[in-house]
Amino acid sequence: MNNLIKVGMAELKVAKSPQIIRTSGLGSCVGIILYNEKAKVSGLAHIMLPDSSCARAGVLNRAKYADTAINDLIQLLGKEGVSSCLLKAKIAGGAQMFKFSSKNESMRIGPRNVEAVKEILCRLNIPVLFEDVGGNMGRTIEFNPATSILEIRTVSKGLVQV
Amino acid sequence: MRDLSKVRSQHLDILKEAGNIGAGHAAAALSQMLNKTIEMKVPGVKVIPFNEIGEYTGGDETIVAAVFLRIEGEAPGNMFFILPVKEANRLAQRLTGDLSIDFMGDSLNEMGISALNEAGNILAGSYLSALADFTHLNMQPTPPAIAVDMITAILSFGLIEMSEAGDHAIVINTEINEKGTGPAVSFKGHFFLLPDPPSLDKILNAFGVHQNE
């Protein structure tokens, strides 16, 4: 039971085999998994926004933004003995849950999150081995660091393993 | 800008009143639409850290039908009218007389979607116009949009504006029920009002509470 690690919105955590790590109900948010199959270690971040530079005053929750969350995941995995050049990534989410015409830029937040995540990972030379992004459906994802298998659950397609 | 984690209980009471006024009018509108008595529960107002939103809604993956409207005007924000998917089916079936409507089905039913859209529009419109009258703030809903999906995925979309300002959501949640028909046929829906952070002060001011009180 306690082998399941749940990651909430704007949170990030690390899981080691035999643990499994999950985040539920990704809408426009993006779930970023960084892992190493040999060390059987993985980190998962559930980010809401593309860029911490748009943060207003106050204490910064680093897990909320693509840039700071990826940075912190790499640090945490580094403490587990995995250097960033050995990391691989799988990402999911970034949907547009509602379709309608609006000038409001926040309506396009899903695609902007995905673009930001991919650009940052590319800059850090972390290969994205799998992505299930965009569309208009919510996703729940679960990653098993022992097998590097990602399970994606959606309302319309049910369960998919990759 | 107010730090949401420090909102005081008296402010929450005022926002409860806002939920009361809005949902009261919406319940009356729904009651007319269905020719049934609709009851309203005392609104709940909560300040919730984002990572606990899933627990608050009773399960991240609960599948719901949601009508979303963006509120524009002096106190912008987001609004959802959320129904468990079965009850959304029943509402659309009653409004159209077409008993084959199923929002979980493979083929999209245009009539059903249009009926639900219109119901959401009327309900949210009466909620907002009541609140706007009371606060003397100009608030107008955008045309509604519909989604059927996991509740957290849907709600998170309405939290973007709040997430730019802090790590807590303020949720004004009002439940409406069909009266006395037993659980099997009862109708249950939720209004979620998610004011943009700057709008919170405006709403509180309109109720006579001033900055730093």
Side-chain angles (χ1 to χ4, degrees):
Chain A
M1 272 307 271
N2 293 330
N3 276 347
L4 179 65
I5 295 184
K6 286 186 184 168
V7 180
M9 205 182 291
E11 266 191 330
L12 62 83
K13 288 178 184 166
V14 165
K16 284 185 273 193
S17 170
Q19 291 170 324
I20 287 173
I21 194 161
R22 175 202 285 171
T23 195
S24 301
L26 289 164
S28 56
C29 302
V30 176
I32 307 160
I33 294 150
L34 297 185
Y35 67 99
N36 177 274
E37 63 260 73
K38 277 207 186 111
K40 300 188 193 304
V41 179
S42 64
L44 170 59
H46 182 145
I47 63 114
M48 300 181 79
L49 293 166
D51 185 0
S52 64
S53 67
C54 63
R56 294 173 201 158
V59 185
L60 190 68
N61 173 6
R62 296 175 59 89
K64 191 162 64 182
Y65 305 96
D67 56 338
T68 43
I70 290 173
N71 210 312
D72 286 7
L73 274 184
I74 291 172
Q75 297 288 325
L76 282 172
L77 292 165
K79 281 186 196 151
E80 299 293 334
V82 183
S83 90
S84 73
C85 59
L86 298 173
L87 288 173
K88 289 170 182 164
K90 293 188 178 183
I91 62 174
Q96 268 187 293
M97 299 303 296
F98 294 91
K99 272 184 216 147
F100 58 106
S101 52
S102 170
K103 293 159 281 187
N104 195 333
E105 185 55 12
S106 76
M107 299 301 168
R108 243 184 49 76
I109 192 72
R112 280 170 51 211
N113 278 337
V114 173
E115 284 160 24
V117 167
K118 283 162 84 170
E119 193 212 300
I120 294 160
L121 292 173
C122 175
R123 192 157 17 107
L124 295 168
N125 282 323
I126 298 175
V128 178
L129 292 201
F130 175 81
E131 61 177 72
D132 179 16
V133 295
N136 60 357
M137 72 283 206
R139 296 168 173 94
T140 285
I141 59 171
E142 193 172 294
F143 186 78
N144 184 343
T147 58
S148 304
I149 287 176
L150 177 66
E151 284 187 0
I152 301 167
R153 202 168 329 128
T154 57
V155 170
S156 53
K157 291 186 209 150
L159 188 68
V160 180
Q161 286 192 334
V162 289
Chain B
M1 181 98 42
R2 205 174 279 273
D3 179 354
L4 277 183
S5 59
K6 297 195 182 96
V7 170
R8 292 167 51 173
S9 67
Q10 77 200 76
H11 297 158
L12 296 184
D13 286 340
I14 289 165
L15 296 172
K16 240 178 229 179
E17 192 47 34
N20 242 332
I21 293 166
H25 280 74
L30 185 63
S31 171
Q32 269 187 356
M33 215 187 299
L34 297 174
N35 199 18
K36 300 265 173 177
T37 309
I38 304 291
E39 292 182 318
M40 181 184 75
K41 289 208 172 160
V42 178
V45 177
K46 269 210 144 142
V47 176
I48 314 164
F50 290 134
N51 57 359
E52 290 171 16
I53 291 276
E55 287 157 45
Y56 171 74
T57 55
D60 297 301
E61 293 172 58
T62 310
I63 295 167
V64 295
V67 180
F68 170 83
L69 305 101
R70 173 86 190 143
I71 304 163
E72 292 174 344
E74 285 176 274
N78 294 319
M79 168 161 243
F80 293 94
F81 177 56
I82 291 189
L83 292 166
V85 73
K86 272 189 194 156
E87 315 213 0
N89 288 342
R90 206 176 305 129
L91 177 61
Q93 287 170 2
R94 283 229 292 246
L95 291 172
T96 58
D98 177 356
L99 295 180
S100 71
I101 288 174
D102 180 3
F103 292 110
M104 289 294 286
D106 292 330
S107 61
L108 278 180
N109 184 310
E110 291 288 333
M111 268 300 274
I113 288 177
S114 159
L116 197 57
N117 243 327
E118 195 45 35
N121 204 12
I122 291 170
L123 296 183
S126 49
Y127 187 122
L128 280 182
S129 66
L131 190 56
D133 282 352
F134 194 86
T135 57
H136 299 291
L137 292 169
N138 171 20
M139 293 185 230
Q140 292 144 359
T142 59
I146 277 199
V148 176
D149 215 308
M150 305 170 189
I151 187 160
T152 318
I154 284 175
L155 277 183
S156 67
F157 179 77
L159 297 175
I160 298 305
E161 282 81 9
M162 288 186 184
S163 71
E164 285 172 348
D167 290 301
H168 292 77
I170 187 154
V171 181
I172 304 169
N173 174 4
T174 318
E175 184 182 318
I176 55 175
N177 287 309
E178 190 175 318
K179 194 182 179 186
T181 38
V185 280
S186 89
F187 164 94
K188 202 198 261 178
H190 287 265
F191 286 100
F192 288 96
L193 178 64
L194 309 169
D196 288 1
S199 303
L200 205 55
D201 282 334
K202 287 189 187 151
I203 294 172
L204 289 173
N205 288 346
F207 279 87
V209 176
H210 293 286
Q211 221 90 21
N212 306 321
E213 252 179 58

